[in-house]
Amino acid sequence: MSEVTVSERVIRVFAAFKKVSTEDIKMDTTFESLGLDSLDGLNLIFELEEEFGIMVPDDKVQSMKSVAEVVEGVEWLLANPDSQPKIPSAPIADKS
Amino acid sequence: MRRVVITGVGVVSAIGNDADAFWASLSAGRTGIGPITKLDASTLRFQNAAEVREFDPNGHFDEKRLLWLDPFAQYGIVAAREAITDSGIEFTDDLRDKGGVITGSCLGGKMTEDGLYYKLYAEGKQHHQPIAIPRGMSNAVASHVSMDYGLTGATFTTSTACSSANHAIGQAFWLIRQGTLDIAVTGGSEAPICFGNLKAWETMRVVSPDTCRPFSKDRSGMILGEGGAMFVMETLDHARARGAMIYAEIAGFGMSADAHHLTMPLVDGAAKAMRLALKDGDIAAEQVGYVNAHGTATQANDTMESAAIRSVFGEDTDKVAVSSTKSMHGHTLGAAGAIESAATVLALHHQILPPTANFTELDPECNIDVVVNEARPASVEAAISNSFAFGGLNAVLAFKSWQD
């Protein structure tokens, strides 16, 4: 998967989330400049997890504050699938 | 104005299944945080919690009764029974008439719902026992305790996320002070350890993969806990007339809303609730020797709360000892205010301040006197217990030491 493709997909997720044109989202666009607070940021990360079928670890979230940083983080996670938390195959009922 | 005192305490928690065991752990700085055993948490981003251990429901309830009790209700009822026995109260008809049960819970019977939905959606089962609604309702504890003891006065449940129990205890206090009730059984309980709920918490990215280190520089988030705590609360005159042992006086209650953000707490809102609690109890800032902090060990709470404490106590801040006992019993959500009020009341009773366990190095952004890792003997006249909920809803209780 080329870098351009990941970047484009990330930009599409940002644009859809903010309901703006993809042209309004640049690599140096930050969460802050889009008016996204911490809770919005968590929702955007969730959308990215859905788009790429990945699980972003908590410590990676801290380093994702701009489009460029998200692209970098997503590419790293795609290249290092073992570092992603495992997605459970089925829910587990409690014993009580 | 009628004065109100605490004459009975009951606790079920990760650090003890009665008040004595709870206090023994608190005063020893012993944490109940460990690997989750009630379900397979290996696929979650966190694997630790403060679970209630060695709690045998069959030892407390017969099989028929147990069918109707979610774990959150079991914890609440067992704690209420202990508090009532501890208080030595004998309910007369008059007392039952003006006796109420006021409880807090954030999640109610979430474990019951989780089990039902798993059978429905995952296993495709269409037939279910007709227990989910009465088991799941958040007011189950209030209803069961009122029925068990025949208490027919004001009885209800508050649900304000992590402030639920403090709002409940505060209401019970005010209803007794204003004469609506003469006696109340009040507190809160919570049972959040089911997969659906843990998954929902995982998405918030506020739960620590390690342990709960409030006010530490390297803190990494909260640890979920379960349990419950309940109190018997009555007028000072009534307690004296029957020769009851008094743990502490509940003197003030303050509440506020941040009106700001769903998950980012605000210094002004927290400080306002603390100030109002002190004002309500006619307590001067310099009388307060201990704050049982909300202290979740999230980045946002602990710096905010430290600033709020400094804002309220000003130059007296350095004389106020602060600890977060969540480092031992975990964050029990809707029960937090009750379990932490139990810690506060017992601290005043024993004149020993429980520590903040798992502490490493003070975050310079938390510029307060944290009681670290070991309990501290102290002479404390008054103490407050803070609860600040998601949604910006704050509730603070103020207690005064009672030495007969």
Side-chain angles (χ1 to χ4, degrees):
Chain A
M1 198 178 290
S2 72
E3 186 179 348
V4 177
T5 310
V6 172
S7 303
E8 282 176 353
R9 286 168 73 190
V10 167
I11 286 172
R12 258 186 264 135
V13 171
F14 269 78
F17 189 79
K18 279 299 291 181
K19 297 189 169 54
V20 297
S21 159
T22 51
E23 289 163 18
D24 295 330
I25 307 292
K26 313 289 182 205
M27 287 302 277
D28 62 355
T29 300
T30 63
F31 284 47
E32 195 181 356
S33 69
L34 292 170
L36 300 177
D37 68 12
S38 58
L39 207 49
D40 298 327
L42 289 184
N43 270 323
L44 180 53
I45 299 288
F46 165 73
E47 298 288 349
L48 289 159
E49 288 182 328
E50 292 276 280
E51 168 69 20
F52 291 97
I54 55 174
M55 292 275 275
V56 183
D58 289 349
D59 54 355
K60 278 277 163 200
V61 172
Q62 307 299 329
S63 62
M64 293 183 175
K65 303 287 181 201
S66 69
V67 174
E69 286 169 0
V70 167
V71 170
E72 194 184 321
V74 169
E75 285 177 337
W76 188 87
L77 286 166
L78 291 171
N80 297 276
D82 289 347
S83 65
Q84 297 178 30
K86 300 285 177 289
I87 299 170
S89 54
I92 300 149
D94 66 66
K95 290 173 188 165
S96 68
Chain B
M1 195 155 54
R2 307 198 326 164
R3 292 173 73 181
V4 183
V5 294
I6 308 269
T7 55
V9 180
V11 181
V12 174
S13 75
I15 55 170
N17 291 343
D18 58 47
D20 286 345
F22 173 71
W23 177 249
S25 295
L26 278 184
S27 52
R30 199 160 49 230
T31 182
I33 294 167
I36 294 170
T37 63
K38 299 197 169 179
L39 47 78
D40 178 359
S42 61
T43 56
L44 292 169
R45 289 193 185 112
F46 57 88
Q47 275 83 43
N48 294 330
E51 292 181 334
V52 168
R53 295 177 185 83
E54 293 168 17
F55 178 89
D56 176 20
N58 296 298
H60 296 286
F61 305 98
D62 65 37
E63 208 175 320
K64 191 178 167 205
R65 179 92 189 267
L66 210 46
L67 185 66
W68 301 94
L69 299 175
D70 184 271
F72 104 95
Q74 298 169 26
Y75 301 153
I77 296 166
V78 169
R81 285 178 183 171
E82 185 193 358
I84 290 166
T85 304
D86 182 40
S87 75
I89 194 84
E90 285 178 26
F91 290 112
T92 60
D93 286 349
D94 284 349
L95 215 45
R96 288 196 178 97
D97 184 50
K98 290 189 82 176
V101 189
I102 301 172
T103 63
S105 181
C106 171
L107 303 172
K110 189 73 86 185
M111 291 183 71
T112 295
E113 290 173 359
D114 195 62
L116 174 78
Y117 297 152
Y118 181 77
K119 284 180 191 149
L120 187 60
Y121 298 133
E123 296 181 337
K125 289 184 181 162
Q126 295 302 317
H127 297 283
H128 303 276
Q129 283 182 310
I131 55 170
I133 298 299
R135 259 180 79 124
M137 61 193 189
S138 296
N139 59 301
V141 175
S143 299
H144 279 281
V145 173
S146 97
M147 288 187 282
D148 285 351
Y149 295 92
L151 305 177
T152 59
T155 293
F156 56 92
T157 295
T158 55
S159 188
T160 46
C162 310
S163 293
S164 301
N166 264 14
H167 275 118
I169 295 165
Q171 293 304 318
F173 162 49
W174 278 358
L175 288 172
I176 295 175
R177 193 172 67 179
Q178 75 186 26
T180 306
L181 294 176
D182 283 341
I183 191 161
V185 180
T186 181
S189 65
E190 204 79 271
I193 316 289
C194 57
F195 197 81
N197 186 54
L198 295 187
K199 196 72 193 164
W201 276 100
E202 181 189 68
T203 65
M204 288 298 299
R205 298 181 189 272
V206 291
V207 180
S208 172
D210 174 27
T211 192
C212 173
R213 302 183 195 282
F215 306 113
S216 286
K217 205 171 171 178
D218 61 348
R219 67 185 180 276
S220 50
M222 65 166 72
I223 289 287
L224 292 164
E226 57 174 352
M230 300 287 275
F231 304 94
V232 169
M233 206 182 264
E234 61 193 294
T235 63
L236 173 61
D237 289 348
H238 190 264
R240 273 185 169 152
R242 67 183 189 89
M245 201 281 280
I246 294 169
Y247 282 94
E249 177 177 8
I250 178 163
F253 173 43
M255 44 184 166
S256 70
D258 289 349
H260 171 62
H261 189 274
L262 275 175
T263 57
M264 285 303 289
L266 197 66
V267 172
D268 291 352
K272 179 178 177 181
M274 284 190 259
R275 281 196 187 93
L276 287 172
L278 295 178
K279 189 177 174 217
D280 185 54
D282 198 21
I283 297 168
E286 61 263 28
Q287 289 174 273
V288 178
Y290 174 59
V291 175
N292 186 297
H294 186 55
T296 54
T298 62
Q299 290 301 321
N301 177 81
D302 293 5
T303 48
M304 178 285 297
E305 187 169 13
S306 301
I309 289 170
R310 198 153 273 283
S311 150
V312 170
F313 293 99
E315 53 192 36
D316 291 319
T317 303
D318 298 332
K319 296 178 214 154
V320 181
V322 181
S323 70
S324 170
T325 49
K326 284 188 175 75
S327 54
M328 293 177 269
H329 51 65
H331 190 351
T332 58
L333 309 175
I339 289 180
E340 290 154 33
S341 286
T344 308
V345 164
L346 292 169
L348 285 171
H349 180 62
H350 293 286
Q351 292 286 299
I352 293 171
L353 308 181
T356 303
N358 315 316
F359 189 88
T360 54
E361 183 189 347
L362 187 68
D363 180 351
E365 298 289 309
C366 300
N367 183 18
I368 48 172
D369 175 19
V370 181
V371 181
V372 301
N373 295 330
E374 283 182 27
R376 185 191 294 177
S379 178
V380 173
E381 184 184 352
I384 62 172
S385 179
N386 289 341
S387 286
F388 310 129
F390 271 175
L393 307 186
N394 312 301
V396 176
L397 297 167
F399 300 93
K400 279 165 109 172
S401 161
W402 191 271
Q403 309 297 336
D404 272 322

